[in-house]
Amino acid sequence: MSTDGTASSENPVNAMAMAVLNAIQNPVVMVDEGGFIVFANWEAEAFFGASAAHLSRYRISTFIPFGSPLLALIDQVRERKAPVNEYRVDLSSPRLGQDKLVDLYVAPVIAEPGSVVVVFQERSMADKIDRQLTHRAAARSVTGLASMLAHEIKNPLSGIRGAAQLLEQSVIDDDRALTRLICDETDRIVSLVDRMEVFSDERPVDRVPVNIHSVLDHVKAVAKAGFARNIRVTENYDPSLPAVYANRDQLVQVFLNLVKNAAEAVGDRPDGEIILTTAYRPGIRLSVAGTREKISLPLEFCVIDNGPGVPTDLLPHLFDPFITTKPNGSGLGLALVAKIIGDHGGIIECDSQNNRTIFRVLMPASKDASLDDAAIASSTGPNR
Ligand SMILES: Nc1ncnc2c1ncn2[C@@H]1O[C@H](COP(=O)(O)OP(=O)(O)OP(=O)(O)O)[C@@H](O)[C@H]1O
Ligand SMILES: [Mg+2]
């Protein structure tokens, strides 16, 4: 096999093997006895950010973090002459980038003693697919419950509230506080049920090309006027970002929930900050379960805060309904966010570490990627 990622066309078997290796959507490299990368498929070139020819001049240790378990794994496979899998290996480095969590499959190459093949599976992608499916299931589990609650609770509640209001007129002043209490509490339950009702709404949403920056600016204005009055909110936008094909009101709901959570996490610490970012990342593609199709989610919107972070034990269930650590929280905010993003064909994930919590929304690009005047007008209309 040649080292430049191309096979000699004279040998059809070689050419076929190359075609197969290059078709694999995971980085695959072969490391020889001396540790040199003697083969890299196209995905591996992208993963290491270098051509196969360049890679072949160096040992694999040049490209991965010092002391990485991958080196020990390669030695182990050479010694035992048997394949090994290792999960969640961190290969983050300035060269490979942050959050490079991978699953590794290392196997000996029988025909080339001392050589091993390493297959990398980028973990974040696997996690994203996993989580995406879990969030959809979580939202679905609320759906039935929500429509039942709407029927069985809201109607009797309006009767109770009406009765309390009638009583209010005839009771003595001291007892009026009690009738008010009944009204306030029924109102609270009605508003909770109203929030849940959104989950039972299965109608397709009206979507138009929306300018995400106008959505974020609106959310920022609402936040600064209320719950984030004393918190610094900064933007880091990619101004050339194409429109997102979405329902504007629902996007506002998504980012209001995320920014509100961020503000609540930051609390009143003096250096508290919320950052809103947008970026175009064409590289992010996801497999769709049950099909060969790959969808591209190039639009990235993040809400970042420097609060204490999400408790680790909460992370796996973060987007499930009724998960809350707040005394007055309903735990419906993130479940709603996950449902809306899922309905739009996007995904959401959370990264939380060292006083930096990122909620990252990935969305497909608009069908009509160019923002025409009408779309801008409709998406920047009067603030609601
Ligand atoms: N930015 C964040 N930093 C730290 N923890 C967070 C953050 N966002 C969410 N969480 C955690 O996730 C939980 C669930 O959030 P979610 O928005 O679903 O519900 P809530 O905020 O508790 O209640 P509600 O949104 O209904 O008022 C929160 O209670 C909090 O513990
Ligand atoms: Mg919330």
Side-chain angles (χ1 to χ4, degrees):
M1 230 176 266
S2 78
T3 55
D4 62 357
T6 55
S8 72
S9 52
E10 294 107 65
N11 183 340
V13 178
N14 232 356
M16 175 108 60
M18 284 304 307
V20 169
L21 284 163
N22 281 330
I24 294 175
Q25 296 288 301
N26 291 73
V28 179
V29 298
M30 179 161 136
V31 178
D32 75 1
E33 215 176 345
F36 285 90
I37 302 176
V38 290
F39 170 79
N41 71 348
W42 290 345
E43 281 294 322
E45 292 182 322
F47 184 79
F48 287 107
S51 69
H54 179 84
L55 289 172
S56 70
R57 277 184 242 127
Y58 299 91
R59 290 194 167 85
I60 190 159
S61 52
T62 316
F63 295 96
I64 58 175
F66 179 72
S68 167
L70 173 57
L71 297 177
L73 224 57
I74 291 176
D75 287 343
Q76 187 187 338
V77 169
R78 276 203 196 105
E79 223 169 84
R80 294 201 197 153
K81 299 190 176 55
V84 172
N85 290 336
E86 182 84 24
Y87 299 98
R88 300 189 143 270
V89 177
D90 190 1
L91 291 185
S92 306
S93 68
R95 172 184 270 276
L96 297 180
Q98 286 307 303
D99 302 328
K100 278 280 180 217
L101 212 54
V102 294
D103 292 344
L104 294 170
Y105 173 75
V106 187
V109 182
I110 306 301
E112 305 265 349
S115 294
V116 298
V117 161
V118 185
V119 182
F120 302 77
Q121 160 84 43
E122 280 202 66
R123 191 66 217 182
S124 55
M125 200 61 95
D127 283 350
K128 273 174 202 156
I129 297 167
D130 261 18
R131 279 187 230 157
Q132 179 195 18
L133 299 176
T134 341
H135 305 163
R136 298 228 169 128
R140 262 201 306 277
S141 71
V142 193
T143 305
L145 182 63
S147 37
M148 185 276 282
L149 280 181
H151 250 102
E152 302 302 318
I153 294 191
K154 266 171 78 177
N155 292 344
L157 273 182
S158 65
I160 294 173
R161 196 181 195 289
Q165 275 177 323
L166 280 178
L167 271 180
E168 195 171 349
Q169 294 160 12
S170 54
V171 294
I172 52 165
D173 281 355
D174 280 359
D175 289 344
R176 204 154 290 146
L178 296 176
T179 53
R180 281 261 38 95
L181 186 84
I182 297 174
C183 289
D184 290 350
E185 289 298 292
T186 47
D187 286 349
R188 206 170 59 80
I189 300 172
V190 169
S191 88
L192 178 68
V193 175
D194 280 343
R195 281 190 78 188
M196 289 185 57
E197 240 176 331
V198 184
F199 289 96
S200 63
D201 192 351
E202 297 276 281
R203 286 170 304 175
V205 288
D206 281 341
R207 295 199 230 167
V208 292
V210 175
N211 179 344
I212 188 68
H213 298 136
S214 96
V215 169
L216 293 177
D217 286 344
H218 173 67
V219 167
K220 179 180 168 181
V222 173
K224 288 300 285 181
F227 57 83
R229 194 173 295 117
N230 302 318
I231 299 172
R232 190 145 59 100
V233 181
T234 47
E235 297 112 54
N236 188 355
Y237 294 164
D238 172 353
S240 65
L241 206 69
V244 52
Y245 191 65
N247 180 288
R248 184 178 196 271
D249 290 345
Q250 293 198 340
L251 279 190
V252 168
Q253 253 186 313
V254 163
F255 289 101
L256 260 183
N257 272 308
L258 293 178
V259 172
K260 186 153 184 288
N261 279 347
E264 286 164 352
V266 162
D268 44 17
R269 56 189 282 179
D271 61 341
E273 186 178 21
I274 298 173
I275 309 172
L276 307 174
T277 73
T278 66
Y280 193 73
R281 306 216 184 278
I284 299 190
R285 291 166 70 80
L286 289 183
S287 309
V288 181
T291 71
R292 286 195 190 167
E293 200 188 329
K294 280 216 155 190
I295 49 164
S296 171
L297 300 174
L299 304 180
E300 184 196 83
F301 318 130
C302 298
V303 177
I304 305 168
D305 70 70
N306 60 353
V310 180
T312 331
D313 54 338
L314 212 67
L315 270 174
H317 314 287
L318 195 57
F319 296 94
D320 290 354
F322 313 118
I323 295 290
T324 182
T325 54
K326 299 170 193 168
N328 294 318
S330 71
L332 284 174
L334 288 178
L336 183 65
V337 166
K339 173 181 162 42
I340 294 176
I341 298 298
D343 287 351
H344 281 79
I347 59 172
I348 176 161
E349 53 170 20
C350 171
D351 253 334
S352 188
Q353 47 192 315
N354 307 334
N355 289 332
R356 189 174 159 85
T357 299
I358 307 179
F359 280 86
R360 183 179 288 116
V361 174
L362 300 170
M363 297 274 269
S366 169
K367 278 185 201 150
D368 169 14
S370 64
L371 260 184
D372 57 27
D373 290 347
I376 292 174
S378 76
S379 61
T380 55
N383 284 353
R384 271 158 280 181

